[in-house]
Amino acid sequence: MKDKTQRSILLACFLAIPTILLFVFVLYPGFKLALISFTDWDGINPSYNYVGLKNYTQVFQRKDIWQSLKNNNLYFMLHLFFIPIEMYLAMLLDRYIKKSEFFKTIVFMPYIINGVAIAYMFSFLYSSEDGVLNGLLALGSIGKIRWLSDPKIVNYSLVVVSLWRFTGVHIILFLAGLQSINKDMLEAALIDGASVLQQFVKIIMPNMKSILSIVLFLNVRGALMVFDIPFVMTSGGPGTSSTTFALHTVKTAFEFSNFGLACAMAIVLIVAIIVISIVQGLVLEPEKFKGKLNKIRGSFKKEELKVEMTIEKEGEKFEKEKNERVTV
């Protein structure tokens, strides 16, 4: 009994700590975020007024917010375009470069470098006055390009930085997926005369769905939440031409003192990521969705059977009692 009590106390302590941390750092801030999104709080005054859905209406009506989402879309599309290239590089590392730990380290290195440090490094490369890129162009008698101050190319310049930083981790994920595929299947397909394309379509891709789903989720999440690179390199400029949704949210809160609208933007961002990830899962891995759906249906059927059995037992009990009364 004593051991059982001690075990229960120990279990309660282990459960209490993560539960408290979850409440303090996730649930309560999430609740406050949702609450403030329905107010006109400016972040300074202790009082505020509830404005209903006004902030959410502004999120979908303001052109500057849609412009920032358009900039996010550029990050998403270019990263999406790079996925086949990343997969191809992973295949090269897996098949043709033996003892590729050195290359793996080189490829993964940009991901572990601090984002602010990367932004400062590329700011020097992109400098229109004494930058490295314009210096190289000068060797070919090509005029200077305003990489970060021309509204037409600034977003492309920033997306290149993002690609340089995150391509490596995608390659490592694809490489892990490739190395998890049973080599016997590939060898058998090779013996049967399957071409590289047929091996890729029939064996590699079906086994890479989970990795592809993770990479796409990281792509969507990263594209919608990109902040540090444009914040450090351009502060969203020139004008608002490189402002992303996350940067716009922070500016709305701390520069324009409109915390209510900023919280509504954050809620919309969270919901958008959840919805897109669900749709992505339905498209890429419909069998998992069907499995979960079948489980839910199975649980409902079990409940229905339990209810039917309970009704049947109660009916039999009632009939038995009725017969006993008639006999008496």
Side-chain angles (χ1 to χ4, degrees):
M1 184 68 182
K2 189 178 178 182
D3 292 340
K4 191 176 178 181
T5 305
Q6 286 179 344
R7 199 179 303 120
S8 300
I9 293 171
L10 191 64
L11 188 62
C13 290
F14 280 131
L15 288 174
I17 294 171
T19 303
I20 292 170
L21 291 174
L22 180 70
F23 180 80
V24 172
F25 293 106
V26 179
L27 296 180
Y28 180 69
F31 173 74
K32 287 293 288 184
L33 184 76
L35 186 68
I36 294 171
S37 69
F38 294 102
T39 70
D40 61 353
W41 190 44
D42 60 4
I44 300 173
N45 292 321
S47 61
Y48 48 78
N49 300 311
Y50 285 95
V51 295
L53 296 173
K54 183 182 175 183
N55 291 325
Y56 289 94
T57 307
Q58 285 190 49
V59 172
F60 293 102
Q61 289 182 343
R62 286 178 55 163
K63 290 182 179 178
D64 53 341
I65 294 176
W66 282 104
Q67 176 61 40
S68 64
L69 277 174
K70 189 179 174 184
N71 295 335
N72 285 94
N73 185 53
L74 184 64
Y75 284 84
F76 172 75
M77 293 305 297
L78 289 182
H79 273 282
L80 190 67
F81 175 75
F82 251 70
I83 284 178
I85 299 172
E86 293 163 353
M87 197 176 288
Y88 178 70
L89 291 174
M91 288 179 67
L92 286 180
L93 282 173
D94 183 48
R95 290 195 173 196
Y96 303 111
I97 302 177
K98 303 299 178 186
K99 297 182 180 178
S100 58
E101 284 73 16
F102 172 75
F103 295 99
K104 287 179 193 173
T105 306
I106 295 296
V107 165
F108 193 67
M109 188 68 75
Y111 183 69
I112 61 176
I113 299 176
N114 183 275
V116 176
I118 291 173
Y120 274 114
M121 183 178 74
F122 273 88
S123 295
F124 172 70
L125 291 174
Y126 282 138
S127 174
S128 58
E129 295 301 323
D130 54 357
V132 174
L133 290 179
N134 278 337
L136 293 173
L137 292 176
L139 296 174
S141 302
I142 301 174
K144 292 181 178 177
I145 296 177
R146 296 182 296 137
W147 301 100
L148 299 178
S149 55
D150 187 341
K152 293 180 181 177
I153 63 171
V154 61
N155 281 310
Y156 294 97
S157 303
L158 297 178
V159 173
V160 168
V161 182
S162 179
L163 286 171
W164 183 83
R165 186 181 179 195
F166 293 106
T167 294
V169 68
H170 295 170
I171 291 174
I172 296 298
L173 287 172
F174 282 129
L175 186 60
L178 287 170
Q179 291 178 345
S180 68
I181 296 174
N182 191 345
K183 300 297 180 189
D184 293 341
M185 286 196 297
L186 294 171
E187 289 176 4
L190 192 62
I191 293 169
D192 290 341
S195 64
V196 175
L197 181 62
Q198 288 173 327
Q199 291 178 40
F200 182 78
V201 173
K202 300 290 184 182
I203 299 175
I204 295 176
M205 276 307 293
N207 286 284
M208 293 282 283
K209 276 187 178 178
S210 299
I211 300 295
L212 189 61
S213 179
I214 292 170
V215 171
L216 281 174
F217 174 75
L218 291 175
N219 186 10
V220 171
R221 178 184 165 278
L224 286 173
M225 296 182 68
V226 61
F227 170 77
D228 49 0
I229 292 172
F231 178 72
V232 174
M233 295 181 71
T234 63
S235 296
T240 58
S241 55
S242 64
T243 301
T244 57
F245 192 83
L247 181 56
H248 200 308
T249 303
V250 172
K251 283 188 172 183
T252 301
F254 295 99
E255 284 191 13
F256 307 121
S257 299
N258 193 344
F259 273 72
L261 178 59
C263 290
M265 292 170 70
I267 293 289
V268 170
L269 180 65
I270 293 169
V271 173
I273 291 174
I274 293 172
V275 170
I276 292 172
S277 63
I278 291 173
V279 173
Q280 175 191 303
L282 288 175
V283 173
L284 286 179
E285 297 178 301
E287 61 280 359
K288 282 189 178 179
F289 175 74
K290 286 180 182 175
K292 289 179 181 176
L293 197 62
N294 289 333
K295 279 185 180 178
I296 294 170
R297 284 176 180 168
S299 62
F300 275 116
K301 281 184 179 177
K302 282 182 181 177
E303 291 298 324
E304 285 177 4
L305 284 173
K306 283 182 182 176
V307 171
E308 286 177 1
M309 289 174 68
T310 307
I311 293 171
E312 193 176 341
K313 283 181 181 177
E314 290 296 325
E316 289 174 356
K317 189 178 176 183
F318 178 76
E319 286 294 331
K320 191 178 177 182
E321 289 177 356
K322 187 179 176 183
N323 292 333
E324 287 176 355
R325 284 175 190 167
V326 171
T327 305
V328 172

